[in-house]
Coordinates of all heavy atoms in Angstrom, one line a residue:
G1 N -64.0 -59.8 -87.8 CA -64.4 -61.1 -88.2 C -64.4 -61.3 -89.8 O -64.6 -62.4 -90.3
L2 N -64.2 -60.2 -90.5 CA -64.1 -60.2 -91.9 C -62.8 -60.7 -92.4 O -61.7 -60.4 -91.8 CB -64.5 -58.9 -92.5 CG -65.9 -58.4 -92.1 CD1 -66.1 -56.9 -92.6 CD2 -67.0 -59.3 -92.7
Q3 N -62.7 -61.3 -93.6 CA -61.5 -61.9 -94.1 C -60.7 -60.8 -94.9 O -60.5 -60.8 -96.1 CB -61.8 -63.1 -95.0 CG -62.3 -64.3 -94.3 CD -61.2 -64.9 -93.4 OE1 -60.1 -65.0 -93.7 NE2 -61.7 -65.2 -92.2
H4 N -60.3 -59.8 -94.2 CA -59.5 -58.7 -94.7 C -58.4 -58.2 -93.7 O -58.8 -58.0 -92.6 CB -60.4 -57.5 -95.1 CG -59.7 -56.5 -96.0 ND1 -58.7 -55.7 -95.6 CD2 -59.9 -56.3 -97.3 CE1 -58.3 -54.9 -96.6 NE2 -59.0 -55.3 -97.7
G5 N -57.2 -58.2 -94.1 CA -56.1 -57.9 -93.2 C -56.1 -56.5 -92.6 O -55.5 -56.3 -91.5
L6 N -56.8 -55.5 -93.1 CA -56.9 -54.2 -92.5 C -58.1 -54.2 -91.4 O -58.1 -53.3 -90.6 CB -57.2 -53.1 -93.5 CG -56.0 -52.8 -94.5 CD1 -56.5 -51.8 -95.5 CD2 -54.8 -52.3 -93.7
L7 N -59.0 -55.1 -91.5 CA -60.1 -55.0 -90.6 C -60.0 -55.9 -89.3 O -61.0 -56.0 -88.6 CB -61.4 -55.4 -91.4 CG -61.6 -54.6 -92.6 CD1 -62.9 -55.0 -93.4 CD2 -61.8 -53.1 -92.3
N8 N -58.9 -56.4 -89.0 CA -58.6 -57.1 -87.8 C -57.1 -56.8 -87.4 O -56.3 -56.8 -88.3 CB -58.7 -58.6 -88.1 CG -60.0 -59.0 -88.7 OD1 -61.1 -59.0 -88.1 ND2 -60.0 -59.3 -90.0
G9 N -56.9 -56.7 -86.2 CA -55.5 -56.4 -85.8 C -55.3 -55.9 -84.4 O -56.2 -55.9 -83.6
V10 N -54.0 -55.5 -84.2 CA -53.6 -55.0 -82.9 C -53.2 -53.5 -83.1 O -52.5 -53.2 -84.1 CB -52.4 -55.7 -82.3 CG1 -51.8 -55.0 -81.1 CG2 -52.7 -57.2 -82.1
L11 N -53.7 -52.6 -82.3 CA -53.4 -51.2 -82.4 C -52.3 -50.7 -81.5 O -51.7 -49.7 -81.7 CB -54.7 -50.4 -82.2 CG -55.8 -50.6 -83.2 CD1 -57.0 -49.9 -82.8 CD2 -55.3 -50.1 -84.6
R12 N -52.2 -51.3 -80.3 CA -51.2 -50.8 -79.3 C -50.8 -51.9 -78.4 O -51.6 -52.8 -78.0 CB -51.9 -49.7 -78.5 CG -50.9 -49.1 -77.5 CD -51.5 -47.9 -76.7 NE -52.5 -48.4 -75.8 CZ -52.9 -47.7 -74.8 NH1 -52.5 -46.4 -74.6 NH2 -53.8 -48.1 -73.9
L13 N -49.6 -51.8 -77.9 CA -49.1 -52.7 -76.8 C -48.3 -51.7 -75.9 O -47.4 -51.1 -76.3 CB -48.2 -53.8 -77.4 CG -47.5 -54.6 -76.3 CD1 -48.5 -55.3 -75.4 CD2 -46.5 -55.6 -76.9
S14 N -48.7 -51.7 -74.7 CA -48.1 -50.9 -73.7 C -48.1 -51.6 -72.3 O -49.1 -52.0 -71.8 CB -48.8 -49.5 -73.6 OG -48.3 -48.7 -72.6
G15 N -46.9 -51.7 -71.7 CA -46.8 -52.3 -70.4 C -47.0 -53.8 -70.3 O -47.3 -54.3 -69.2
R16 N -46.7 -54.5 -71.3 CA -46.8 -55.9 -71.3 C -45.7 -56.5 -72.2 O -45.3 -55.9 -73.2 CB -48.2 -56.3 -71.9 CG -48.6 -57.7 -71.7 CD -50.1 -57.8 -72.1 NE -50.5 -59.2 -72.2 CZ -51.7 -59.5 -72.6 NH1 -52.6 -58.6 -73.0 NH2 -52.0 -60.8 -72.7
S17 N -45.3 -57.7 -72.0 CA -44.3 -58.3 -72.8 C -44.8 -58.6 -74.2 O -46.0 -59.0 -74.3 CB -43.7 -59.6 -72.2 OG -44.6 -60.7 -72.4
V18 N -43.9 -58.5 -75.2 CA -44.3 -58.8 -76.6 C -44.7 -60.3 -76.7 O -45.6 -60.6 -77.4 CB -43.2 -58.4 -77.6 CG1 -43.5 -58.8 -79.0 CG2 -43.1 -56.8 -77.5
R19 N -43.9 -61.1 -76.1 CA -44.1 -62.6 -76.2 C -45.5 -62.9 -75.7 O -46.3 -63.6 -76.4 CB -43.1 -63.3 -75.4 CG -43.2 -64.8 -75.4 CD -42.2 -65.5 -74.4 NE -42.3 -65.1 -73.1 CZ -43.3 -65.4 -72.2 NH1 -44.3 -66.1 -72.5 NH2 -43.2 -64.9 -71.0
E20 N -45.9 -62.4 -74.5 CA -47.2 -62.7 -74.0 C -48.3 -62.1 -74.8 O -49.4 -62.7 -75.1 CB -47.3 -62.2 -72.5 CG -48.6 -62.3 -71.8 CD -48.5 -61.7 -70.5 OE1 -47.7 -62.1 -69.6 OE2 -49.4 -60.7 -70.3
A21 N -48.1 -60.8 -75.2 CA -49.1 -60.1 -76.0 C -49.3 -60.7 -77.4 O -50.5 -60.9 -77.8 CB -48.8 -58.6 -76.1
A22 N -48.2 -61.2 -78.0 CA -48.3 -61.8 -79.3 C -49.1 -63.1 -79.2 O -50.0 -63.4 -80.1 CB -47.0 -62.0 -79.9
A23 N -48.9 -63.9 -78.2 CA -49.6 -65.1 -78.0 C -51.1 -64.9 -77.8 O -51.9 -65.5 -78.4 CB -49.0 -65.9 -76.9
D24 N -51.4 -63.8 -77.1 CA -52.8 -63.5 -76.8 C -53.5 -63.0 -78.1 O -54.6 -63.4 -78.5 CB -52.9 -62.4 -75.7 CG -54.3 -62.2 -75.2 OD1 -55.2 -63.0 -75.5 OD2 -54.4 -61.1 -74.5
A25 N -52.8 -62.1 -78.9 CA -53.3 -61.6 -80.1 C -53.5 -62.7 -81.1 O -54.5 -62.8 -81.8 CB -52.4 -60.5 -80.7
E26 N -52.5 -63.6 -81.2 CA -52.7 -64.7 -82.2 C -53.9 -65.6 -81.8 O -54.5 -66.1 -82.7 CB -51.4 -65.5 -82.2 CG -50.2 -64.8 -82.8 CD -48.8 -65.4 -82.5 OE1 -48.8 -66.5 -82.0 OE2 -47.8 -64.7 -82.9
R27 N -54.1 -65.8 -80.6 CA -55.3 -66.6 -80.1 C -56.6 -65.9 -80.5 O -57.5 -66.4 -81.1 CB -55.2 -66.8 -78.6 CG -56.4 -67.7 -78.1 CD -56.4 -67.8 -76.6 NE -56.3 -66.5 -75.9 CZ -57.3 -65.6 -75.7 NH1 -58.4 -65.9 -76.3 NH2 -57.1 -64.5 -75.1
Q28 N -56.6 -64.6 -80.2 CA -57.9 -63.8 -80.4 C -58.2 -63.6 -81.9 O -59.3 -63.5 -82.3 CB -57.8 -62.4 -79.8 CG -57.8 -62.4 -78.3 CD -57.8 -61.0 -77.8 OE1 -58.6 -60.2 -78.2 NE2 -56.9 -60.7 -76.9
L29 N -57.1 -63.6 -82.7 CA -57.3 -63.3 -84.2 C -57.1 -64.5 -85.1 O -56.9 -64.4 -86.3 CB -56.4 -62.2 -84.6 CG -56.7 -60.9 -83.9 CD1 -55.5 -59.9 -84.0 CD2 -58.0 -60.3 -84.3
A30 N -57.1 -65.7 -84.4 CA -56.9 -67.0 -85.2 C -57.9 -67.1 -86.3 O -59.0 -66.7 -86.2 CB -57.0 -68.2 -84.2
N31 N -57.4 -67.6 -87.4 CA -58.2 -67.9 -88.6 C -58.7 -66.6 -89.4 O -59.6 -66.6 -90.2 CB -59.4 -68.7 -88.3 CG -59.0 -70.0 -87.7 OD1 -58.1 -70.7 -88.2 ND2 -59.7 -70.4 -86.6
L32 N -58.0 -65.5 -89.1 CA -58.3 -64.2 -89.8 C -57.0 -63.6 -90.3 O -56.0 -63.7 -89.6 CB -59.0 -63.2 -88.8 CG -60.4 -63.5 -88.3 CD1 -60.8 -62.6 -87.2 CD2 -61.3 -63.4 -89.5
P33 N -57.1 -62.9 -91.4 CA -55.9 -62.1 -91.8 C -55.9 -60.9 -90.9 O -57.0 -60.4 -90.5 CB -56.2 -61.7 -93.2 CG -57.7 -61.8 -93.4 CD -58.1 -62.9 -92.4
W34 N -54.7 -60.5 -90.4 CA -54.7 -59.3 -89.5 C -53.3 -58.7 -89.6 O -52.4 -59.2 -90.1 CB -55.0 -59.7 -88.1 CG -54.2 -60.8 -87.4 CD1 -54.2 -62.1 -87.7 CD2 -53.2 -60.6 -86.4 NE1 -53.3 -62.8 -86.9 CE2 -52.7 -61.9 -86.1 CE3 -52.8 -59.5 -85.7 CZ2 -51.7 -62.0 -85.1 CZ3 -51.8 -59.7 -84.8 CH2 -51.3 -60.9 -84.5
R35 N -53.2 -57.5 -88.9 CA -51.9 -56.8 -88.8 C -51.7 -56.2 -87.5 O -52.7 -56.1 -86.7 CB -51.8 -55.8 -89.9 CG -52.8 -54.7 -89.8 CD -52.7 -53.7 -91.0 NE -52.8 -54.5 -92.2 CZ -51.8 -54.4 -93.2 NH1 -50.8 -53.7 -93.1 NH2 -51.9 -55.2 -94.2
W36 N -50.5 -55.9 -87.2 CA -50.1 -55.3 -85.9 C -49.6 -53.9 -86.2 O -48.5 -53.8 -86.8 CB -49.1 -56.1 -85.2 CG -48.8 -55.8 -83.8 CD1 -48.6 -54.6 -83.2 CD2 -48.8 -56.7 -82.7 NE1 -48.4 -54.6 -81.9 CE2 -48.5 -55.9 -81.5 CE3 -48.9 -58.1 -82.6 CZ2 -48.4 -56.5 -80.3 CZ3 -48.8 -58.6 -81.3 CH2 -48.6 -57.9 -80.2
W37 N -50.4 -52.9 -85.9 CA -50.0 -51.5 -86.1 C -49.0 -51.2 -84.9 O -49.4 -51.3 -83.8 CB -51.2 -50.6 -86.1 CG -52.2 -50.9 -87.2 CD1 -53.3 -51.7 -87.0 CD2 -52.2 -50.5 -88.5 NE1 -54.0 -51.7 -88.2 CE2 -53.3 -51.0 -89.1 CE3 -51.3 -49.7 -89.3 CZ2 -53.6 -50.8 -90.5 CZ3 -51.6 -49.5 -90.6 CH2 -52.7 -50.0 -91.2
V38 N -47.9 -50.7 -85.2 CA -46.9 -50.2 -84.2 C -46.7 -48.7 -84.3 O -46.2 -48.3 -85.3 CB -45.6 -50.9 -84.3 CG1 -44.6 -50.4 -83.2 CG2 -45.8 -52.4 -84.1
G39 N -47.2 -48.0 -83.4 CA -47.1 -46.5 -83.4 C -46.5 -45.9 -82.2 O -46.0 -46.7 -81.3
P40 N -46.5 -44.6 -82.1 CA -45.8 -43.9 -81.0 C -46.5 -44.2 -79.6 O -45.8 -43.9 -78.6 CB -45.9 -42.5 -81.4 CG -47.0 -42.4 -82.4 CD -47.1 -43.7 -83.1
D41 N -47.7 -44.8 -79.6 CA -48.3 -45.1 -78.3 C -48.0 -46.5 -77.8 O -48.5 -46.9 -76.8 CB -49.8 -44.8 -78.3 CG -50.5 -45.5 -79.4 OD1 -49.9 -46.0 -80.3 OD2 -51.8 -45.6 -79.3
S42 N -47.2 -47.3 -78.6 CA -46.8 -48.6 -78.2 C -45.4 -48.4 -77.5 O -44.7 -47.5 -77.8 CB -46.6 -49.5 -79.4 OG -47.9 -50.0 -79.9
D43 N -45.0 -49.4 -76.7 CA -43.7 -49.4 -76.0 C -42.6 -49.4 -77.1 O -42.8 -50.0 -78.1 CB -43.6 -50.6 -75.1 CG -44.5 -50.5 -73.9 OD1 -45.0 -49.4 -73.5 OD2 -44.7 -51.5 -73.2
A44 N -41.5 -48.8 -76.7 CA -40.3 -48.9 -77.6 C -39.9 -50.3 -77.7 O -40.0 -51.1 -76.8 CB -39.2 -48.0 -76.9
G45 N -39.4 -50.7 -78.9 CA -38.9 -52.0 -79.2 C -39.9 -53.0 -79.6 O -39.6 -54.2 -79.9
V46 N -41.2 -52.6 -79.7 CA -42.2 -53.6 -80.0 C -42.0 -54.1 -81.5 O -42.1 -55.3 -81.7 CB -43.6 -53.0 -79.9 CG1 -44.7 -53.9 -80.5 CG2 -44.0 -52.8 -78.4

């Protein structure tokens, strides 16, 4: 809930479409700076 891009975000996406997950993340994190961390535990191609 803090206005800092490192303190809000997505850590993993696995087993779900990027389109659907992005829409969900954008809704949950609306009005905040945030980032999407993509690491080895996310699906390939994210």
Side-chain angles (χ1 to χ4, degrees):
L2 299 173
Q3 292 294 317
H4 194 288
L6 290 177
L7 301 179
N8 307 288
V10 175
L11 293 173
R12 180 178 76 164
L13 174 60
S14 179
R16 190 170 171 188
S17 79
V18 171
R19 179 186 55 76
E20 178 185 300
D24 193 12
E26 290 166 8
R27 180 186 53 75
Q28 290 185 53
L29 298 166
N31 302 315
L32 290 170
W34 60 285
R35 64 186 51 239
W36 193 308
W37 301 95
V38 179
D41 57 344
S42 286
D43 290 341
V46 170

